[in-house]
CSV table of all heavy atoms in Angstrom, one decimal:
chain,number,residue,atom,x,y,z
W,408,TYR,N,-7.6,56.9,22.4
W,408,TYR,CA,-8.7,57.8,22.8
W,408,TYR,C,-9.4,57.3,24.1
W,408,TYR,O,-10.0,56.3,24.0
W,408,TYR,CB,-9.7,57.8,21.7
W,408,TYR,CG,-10.6,59.0,21.5
W,408,TYR,CD1,-10.1,60.3,21.6
W,408,TYR,CD2,-11.9,58.8,21.2
W,408,TYR,CE1,-10.9,61.4,21.5
W,408,TYR,CE2,-12.8,59.9,21.1
W,408,TYR,CZ,-12.3,61.2,21.2
W,408,TYR,OH,-13.0,62.3,20.9
W,410,TRP,N,-11.5,57.3,27.6
W,410,TRP,CA,-12.8,57.7,28.1
W,410,TRP,C,-13.0,58.9,29.0
W,410,TRP,O,-13.6,59.8,28.8
W,410,TRP,CB,-13.5,56.4,28.6
W,410,TRP,CG,-14.9,56.6,29.3
W,410,TRP,CD1,-15.1,56.8,30.6
W,410,TRP,CD2,-16.2,56.4,28.6
W,410,TRP,NE1,-16.5,57.0,30.8
W,410,TRP,CE2,-17.1,56.7,29.6
W,410,TRP,CE3,-16.5,56.3,27.3
W,410,TRP,CZ2,-18.4,56.7,29.3
W,410,TRP,CZ3,-17.9,56.2,26.9
W,410,TRP,CH2,-18.8,56.5,28.0
W,436,GLY,N,-20.8,54.3,30.8
W,436,GLY,CA,-19.9,53.3,30.2
W,436,GLY,C,-20.6,51.9,30.0
W,436,GLY,O,-20.3,51.2,29.2
W,437,SER,N,-21.6,51.7,30.9
W,437,SER,CA,-22.2,50.4,30.8
W,437,SER,C,-23.5,50.3,30.0
W,437,SER,O,-24.2,49.4,29.9
W,437,SER,CB,-22.5,49.9,32.3
W,437,SER,OG,-23.1,50.9,32.9
W,439,LEU,N,-24.8,50.5,26.4
W,439,LEU,CA,-24.1,50.4,25.0
W,439,LEU,C,-24.1,51.6,24.2
W,439,LEU,O,-23.1,52.1,23.5
W,439,LEU,CB,-24.7,49.2,24.3
W,439,LEU,CG,-23.9,48.7,23.1
W,439,LEU,CD1,-22.6,48.2,23.6
W,439,LEU,CD2,-24.7,47.5,22.5
W,442,ALA,N,-21.9,54.3,25.6
W,442,ALA,CA,-20.5,53.7,25.6
W,442,ALA,C,-19.9,53.9,24.2
W,442,ALA,O,-18.7,54.1,24.0
W,442,ALA,CB,-20.5,52.3,26.1
W,443,GLN,N,-20.7,53.6,23.1
W,443,GLN,CA,-20.2,53.6,21.8
W,443,GLN,C,-20.1,55.0,21.2
W,443,GLN,O,-19.2,55.3,20.4
W,443,GLN,CB,-21.1,52.8,20.9
W,443,GLN,CG,-21.0,51.3,21.3
W,443,GLN,CD,-21.9,50.4,20.4
W,443,GLN,OE1,-22.8,50.9,19.7
W,443,GLN,NE2,-21.6,49.2,20.2
W,446,PHE,N,-16.8,57.1,20.4
W,446,PHE,CA,-16.0,56.3,19.6
W,446,PHE,C,-16.3,56.2,18.1
W,446,PHE,O,-15.5,56.3,17.2
W,446,PHE,CB,-15.6,54.9,20.2
W,446,PHE,CG,-15.0,55.1,21.6
W,446,PHE,CD1,-15.7,54.8,22.7
W,446,PHE,CD2,-13.7,55.5,21.7
W,446,PHE,CE1,-15.1,54.9,24.0
W,446,PHE,CE2,-13.1,55.7,23.0
W,446,PHE,CZ,-13.8,55.4,24.2
W,462,PHE,N,-6.6,53.5,15.4
W,462,PHE,CA,-7.6,53.9,16.4
W,462,PHE,C,-7.6,53.0,17.7
W,462,PHE,O,-8.0,51.9,17.5
W,462,PHE,CB,-8.9,54.1,15.8
W,462,PHE,CG,-9.9,54.8,16.7
W,462,PHE,CD1,-9.5,55.8,17.6
W,462,PHE,CD2,-11.3,54.6,16.7
W,462,PHE,CE1,-10.4,56.6,18.4
W,462,PHE,CE2,-12.3,55.3,17.4
W,462,PHE,CZ,-11.7,56.2,18.4
W,463,SER,N,-7.0,53.5,18.8
W,463,SER,CA,-6.9,52.7,19.9
W,463,SER,C,-8.0,53.2,20.9
W,463,SER,O,-7.9,54.2,21.5
W,463,SER,CB,-5.5,52.8,20.5
W,463,SER,OG,-5.5,52.5,21.9
W,464,VAL,N,-8.9,52.3,21.2
W,464,VAL,CA,-10.1,52.6,22.1
W,464,VAL,C,-9.7,52.3,23.5
W,464,VAL,O,-9.1,51.2,23.8
W,464,VAL,CB,-11.3,51.9,21.7
W,464,VAL,CG1,-12.3,52.0,22.7
W,464,VAL,CG2,-11.8,52.3,20.3
W,465,CYS,N,-9.9,53.3,24.4
W,465,CYS,CA,-9.4,53.1,25.8
W,465,CYS,C,-10.5,53.4,26.8
W,465,CYS,O,-10.9,54.5,26.8
W,465,CYS,CB,-8.2,53.9,26.1
W,465,CYS,SG,-7.5,53.8,27.8
W,466,GLN,N,-11.3,52.4,27.3
W,466,GLN,CA,-12.4,52.6,28.2
W,466,GLN,C,-12.4,51.5,29.1
W,466,GLN,O,-13.5,51.2,29.7
W,466,GLN,CB,-13.7,53.0,27.5
W,466,GLN,CG,-14.0,52.1,26.4
W,466,GLN,CD,-14.7,50.7,26.7
W,466,GLN,OE1,-14.0,50.0,27.4
W,466,GLN,NE2,-16.0,50.7,26.4
W,467,TYR,N,-11.3,50.7,29.4
W,467,TYR,CA,-11.1,49.7,30.4
W,467,TYR,C,-12.0,48.6,30.3
W,467,TYR,O,-12.3,47.9,31.2
W,467,TYR,CB,-11.1,50.4,31.8
W,467,TYR,CG,-10.9,51.9,31.7
W,467,TYR,CD1,-11.9,52.8,32.0
W,467,TYR,CD2,-9.8,52.4,31.3
W,467,TYR,CE1,-11.8,54.2,31.8
W,467,TYR,CE2,-9.5,53.8,31.1
W,467,TYR,CZ,-10.5,54.7,31.4
W,467,TYR,OH,-10.4,56.0,31.2
W,468,GLY,N,-12.6,48.3,29.1
W,468,GLY,CA,-13.4,47.1,29.0
W,468,GLY,C,-14.9,47.3,29.2
W,468,GLY,O,-15.6,46.2,29.2
W,469,MET,N,-15.4,48.5,29.4
W,469,MET,CA,-16.8,48.7,29.8
W,469,MET,C,-17.7,48.2,28.6
W,469,MET,O,-17.2,48.2,27.4
W,469,MET,CB,-17.1,50.1,30.0
W,469,MET,CG,-16.3,50.7,31.2
W,469,MET,SD,-16.8,52.4,31.6
W,469,MET,CE,-16.1,53.3,30.3
W,470,SER,N,-18.8,47.6,29.0
W,470,SER,CA,-19.9,47.2,28.0
W,470,SER,C,-19.3,46.2,27.1
W,470,SER,O,-19.6,46.2,25.9
W,470,SER,CB,-20.5,48.3,27.1
W,470,SER,OG,-21.3,49.1,27.9
W,471,ASP,N,-18.5,45.3,27.6
W,471,ASP,CA,-17.7,44.2,26.8
W,471,ASP,C,-17.3,44.8,25.4
W,471,ASP,O,-17.7,44.3,24.3
W,471,ASP,CB,-18.8,43.1,26.4
W,471,ASP,CG,-19.2,42.4,27.7
W,471,ASP,OD1,-18.5,42.7,28.8
W,471,ASP,OD2,-20.0,41.5,27.7
W,472,VAL,N,-16.4,45.8,25.5
W,472,VAL,CA,-16.0,46.5,24.3
W,472,VAL,C,-15.5,45.6,23.2
W,472,VAL,O,-15.5,45.9,22.0
W,472,VAL,CB,-14.9,47.6,24.7
W,472,VAL,CG1,-13.7,46.9,25.4
W,472,VAL,CG2,-14.5,48.5,23.5
W,473,TRP,N,-14.9,44.4,23.6
W,473,TRP,CA,-14.4,43.5,22.6
W,473,TRP,C,-15.4,43.0,21.6
W,473,TRP,O,-15.1,42.7,20.5
W,473,TRP,CB,-13.7,42.3,23.3
W,473,TRP,CG,-14.5,41.7,24.4
W,473,TRP,CD1,-15.4,40.7,24.4
W,473,TRP,CD2,-14.4,42.1,25.8
W,473,TRP,NE1,-15.9,40.5,25.7
W,473,TRP,CE2,-15.3,41.4,26.6
W,473,TRP,CE3,-13.6,43.1,26.5
W,473,TRP,CZ2,-15.5,41.6,27.9
W,473,TRP,CZ3,-13.8,43.3,27.8
W,473,TRP,CH2,-14.8,42.5,28.6
W,474,LYS,N,-16.7,43.1,22.0
W,474,LYS,CA,-17.8,42.6,21.1
W,474,LYS,C,-18.0,43.7,20.1
W,474,LYS,O,-18.7,43.4,19.1
W,474,LYS,CB,-19.0,42.4,21.9
W,474,LYS,CG,-18.8,41.2,22.9
W,474,LYS,CD,-20.1,40.8,23.6
W,474,LYS,CE,-19.8,39.7,24.5
W,474,LYS,NZ,-20.9,39.7,25.7
W,475,TRP,N,-17.8,45.0,20.3
W,475,TRP,CA,-18.1,46.1,19.3
W,475,TRP,C,-17.1,47.0,19.0
W,475,TRP,O,-17.3,47.9,18.1
W,475,TRP,CB,-19.4,46.8,19.9
W,475,TRP,CG,-19.3,47.3,21.3
W,475,TRP,CD1,-19.6,46.6,22.4
W,475,TRP,CD2,-18.6,48.5,21.8
W,475,TRP,NE1,-19.4,47.5,23.6
W,475,TRP,CE2,-18.7,48.6,23.2
W,475,TRP,CE3,-18.0,49.6,21.1
W,475,TRP,CZ2,-18.2,49.7,23.9
W,475,TRP,CZ3,-17.5,50.7,21.8
W,475,TRP,CH2,-17.6,50.6,23.2
W,476,GLY,N,-15.9,46.9,19.6
W,476,GLY,CA,-14.7,47.8,19.4
W,476,GLY,C,-14.4,48.0,17.9
W,476,GLY,O,-14.2,49.1,17.4
W,477,GLY,N,-14.6,46.9,17.1
W,477,GLY,CA,-14.1,46.9,15.7
W,477,GLY,C,-15.2,47.7,14.9
W,477,GLY,O,-14.9,48.4,14.0
W,478,SER,N,-16.5,47.5,15.3
W,478,SER,CA,-17.7,48.1,14.6
W,478,SER,C,-17.6,49.8,14.7
W,478,SER,O,-18.3,50.4,13.9
W,478,SER,CB,-19.0,47.5,15.0
W,478,SER,OG,-19.3,48.0,16.3
W,479,VAL,N,-17.0,50.2,15.7
W,479,VAL,CA,-16.9,51.7,15.9
W,479,VAL,C,-15.5,52.2,15.3
W,479,VAL,O,-15.2,53.4,15.5
W,479,VAL,CB,-17.0,52.2,17.3
W,479,VAL,CG1,-18.5,51.7,17.8
W,479,VAL,CG2,-16.0,51.7,18.2
W,480,GLY,N,-14.8,51.4,14.6
W,480,GLY,CA,-13.7,51.8,13.9
W,480,GLY,C,-12.4,51.6,14.8
W,480,GLY,O,-11.3,52.0,14.3
W,481,GLY,N,-12.5,51.0,16.0
W,481,GLY,CA,-11.3,50.7,16.8
W,481,GLY,C,-10.5,49.6,16.2
W,481,GLY,O,-10.9,48.6,15.6
W,482,ASN,N,-9.1,49.7,16.2
W,482,ASN,CA,-8.2,48.8,15.9
W,482,ASN,C,-7.8,47.9,17.1
W,482,ASN,O,-7.3,46.7,17.0
W,482,ASN,CB,-7.0,49.3,15.2
W,482,ASN,CG,-7.4,50.0,13.9
W,482,ASN,OD1,-7.4,51.2,13.8
W,482,ASN,ND2,-7.9,49.2,12.9
W,483,CYS,N,-7.8,48.5,18.3
W,483,CYS,CA,-7.6,47.8,19.5
W,483,CYS,C,-8.4,48.5,20.6
W,483,CYS,O,-8.7,49.7,20.5
W,483,CYS,CB,-6.1,47.7,19.8
W,483,CYS,SG,-5.2,49.3,19.8
W,484,TRP,N,-8.6,47.8,21.7
W,484,TRP,CA,-9.3,48.3,22.8
W,484,TRP,C,-8.8,47.6,24.1
W,484,TRP,O,-8.5,46.5,24.2
W,484,TRP,CB,-10.8,48.2,22.7
W,484,TRP,CG,-11.1,46.8,22.2
W,484,TRP,CD1,-11.1,45.6,22.7
W,484,TRP,CD2,-11.3,46.5,20.8
W,484,TRP,NE1,-11.4,44.5,21.9
W,484,TRP,CE2,-11.5,45.0,20.6
W,484,TRP,CE3,-11.3,47.2,19.5
W,484,TRP,CZ2,-11.8,44.4,19.5
W,484,TRP,CZ3,-11.6,46.6,18.4
W,484,TRP,CH2,-11.8,45.2,18.4
W,485,ARG,N,-8.6,48.6,25.1
W,485,ARG,CA,-8.2,48.1,26.5
W,485,ARG,C,-9.3,47.2,27.0
W,485,ARG,O,-10.4,47.6,26.9
W,485,ARG,CB,-7.9,49.3,27.3
W,485,ARG,CG,-6.6,49.9,27.0
W,485,ARG,CD,-5.4,49.3,27.9
W,485,ARG,NE,-5.8,49.5,29.3
W,485,ARG,CZ,-5.6,50.7,29.9
W,485,ARG,NH1,-5.0,51.7,29.3
W,485,ARG,NH2,-6.0,50.8,31.1
W,486,THR,N,-8.9,46.1,27.6
W,486,THR,CA,-9.9,45.2,28.2
W,486,THR,C,-10.0,45.4,29.7
W,486,THR,O,-11.0,44.9,30.4
W,486,THR,CB,-9.5,43.7,27.9
W,486,THR,OG1,-8.1,43.5,28.3
W,486,THR,CG2,-9.7,43.4,26.5
W,487,THR,N,-9.1,46.1,30.3
W,487,THR,CA,-9.0,46.2,31.8
W,487,THR,C,-8.5,47.6,32.2
W,487,THR,O,-8.2,48.4,31.4
W,487,THR,CB,-8.1,45.2,32.4
W,487,THR,OG1,-6.7,45.5,32.0
W,487,THR,CG2,-8.5,43.8,32.0
W,504,HIS,N,-8.3,38.4,30.7
W,504,HIS,CA,-8.2,38.6,29.4
W,504,HIS,C,-8.9,37.6,28.5
W,504,HIS,O,-9.2,37.7,27.3
W,504,HIS,CB,-6.8,38.8,28.9
W,504,HIS,CG,-6.6,39.5,27.7
W,504,HIS,ND1,-7.0,40.9,27.6
W,504,HIS,CD2,-5.9,39.3,26.5
W,504,HIS,CE1,-6.6,41.3,26.4
W,504,HIS,NE2,-6.1,40.4,25.7
W,506,LYS,N,-11.8,36.3,28.5
W,506,LYS,CA,-13.2,36.4,28.0
W,506,LYS,C,-13.2,37.1,26.6
W,506,LYS,O,-14.1,37.0,25.8
W,506,LYS,CB,-14.1,37.2,29.0
W,506,LYS,CG,-13.5,38.6,29.3
W,506,LYS,CD,-14.2,39.3,30.5
W,506,LYS,CE,-13.5,40.6,30.6
W,506,LYS,NZ,-13.2,40.9,32.0
W,507,SER,N,-12.3,37.9,26.2
W,507,SER,CA,-12.3,38.6,25.0
W,507,SER,C,-11.7,37.8,23.9
W,507,SER,O,-11.8,38.3,22.7
W,507,SER,CB,-11.5,39.9,25.1
W,507,SER,OG,-10.1,39.6,25.5
W,510,TYR,N,-12.8,37.4,20.0
W,510,TYR,CA,-13.1,38.6,19.2
W,510,TYR,C,-11.7,39.1,18.5
W,510,TYR,O,-11.8,40.1,17.8
W,510,TYR,CB,-13.7,39.7,20.0
W,510,TYR,CG,-15.1,39.1,20.6
W,510,TYR,CD1,-15.1,38.5,21.8
W,510,TYR,CD2,-16.2,39.2,19.8
W,510,TYR,CE1,-16.3,38.0,22.3
W,510,TYR,CE2,-17.4,38.8,20.3
W,510,TYR,CZ,-17.4,38.1,21.5
W,510,TYR,OH,-18.6,37.6,21.9
W,511,ALA,N,-10.6,38.6,18.9
W,511,ALA,CA,-9.4,39.1,18.3
W,511,ALA,C,-9.2,38.7,16.9
W,511,ALA,O,-9.6,37.5,16.6
W,511,ALA,CB,-8.1,38.7,19.1
W,515,ASN,N,-8.3,44.0,14.6
W,515,ASN,CA,-9.1,44.1,15.8
W,515,ASN,C,-8.5,43.5,17.0
W,515,ASN,O,-8.5,42.2,17.1
W,515,ASN,CB,-10.5,43.5,15.7
W,515,ASN,CG,-11.4,44.4,14.7
W,515,ASN,OD1,-12.5,43.9,14.4
W,515,ASN,ND2,-11.0,45.5,14.2
W,516,TRP,N,-7.8,44.2,17.9
W,516,TRP,CA,-7.0,43.5,18.9
W,516,TRP,C,-7.4,43.8,20.3
W,516,TRP,O,-7.8,45.0,20.6
W,516,TRP,CB,-5.5,43.9,18.7
W,516,TRP,CG,-5.0,43.6,17.3
W,516,TRP,CD1,-4.7,44.7,16.4
W,516,TRP,CD2,-4.8,42.4,16.7
W,516,TRP,NE1,-4.3,44.0,15.3
W,516,TRP,CE2,-4.4,42.6,15.4
W,516,TRP,CE3,-4.9,41.1,17.1
W,516,TRP,CZ2,-4.1,41.6,14.4
W,516,TRP,CZ3,-4.7,40.1,16.2
W,516,TRP,CH2,-4.3,40.4,14.9
W,517,ASN,N,-7.5,42.9,21.1
W,517,ASN,CA,-7.8,43.2,22.6
W,517,ASN,C,-6.5,43.6,23.2
W,517,ASN,O,-5.5,42.9,23.1
W,517,ASN,CB,-8.3,41.8,23.3
W,517,ASN,CG,-9.5,41.4,22.7
W,517,ASN,OD1,-10.6,42.1,22.7
W,517,ASN,ND2,-9.6,40.1,22.3
W,518,ASP,N,-6.6,44.6,24.1
W,518,ASP,CA,-5.4,45.2,24.6
W,518,ASP,C,-5.3,45.1,26.1
W,518,ASP,O,-6.1,45.8,26.8
W,518,ASP,CB,-5.4,46.7,24.2
W,518,ASP,CG,-4.3,47.6,24.7
W,518,ASP,OD1,-3.3,47.0,25.4
W,518,ASP,OD2,-4.2,48.8,24.5
Side-chain angles (χ1 to χ4, degrees):
Y408 206 44
W410 178 266
S437 51
L439 197 58
Q443 293 184 338
F446 297 105
F462 190 30
S463 157
V464 169
C465 179
Q466 45 84 292
Y467 341 111
M469 295 185 292
S470 289
D471 294 353
V472 61
W473 42 91
K474 295 184 180 156
W475 51 266
S478 70
V479 300
N482 296 111
C483 53
W484 39 82
R485 282 267 301 279
T486 52
T487 63
H504 207 55
K506 57 189 180 225
S507 59
Y510 301 92
N515 291 173
W516 309 107
N517 295 307
D518 178 4

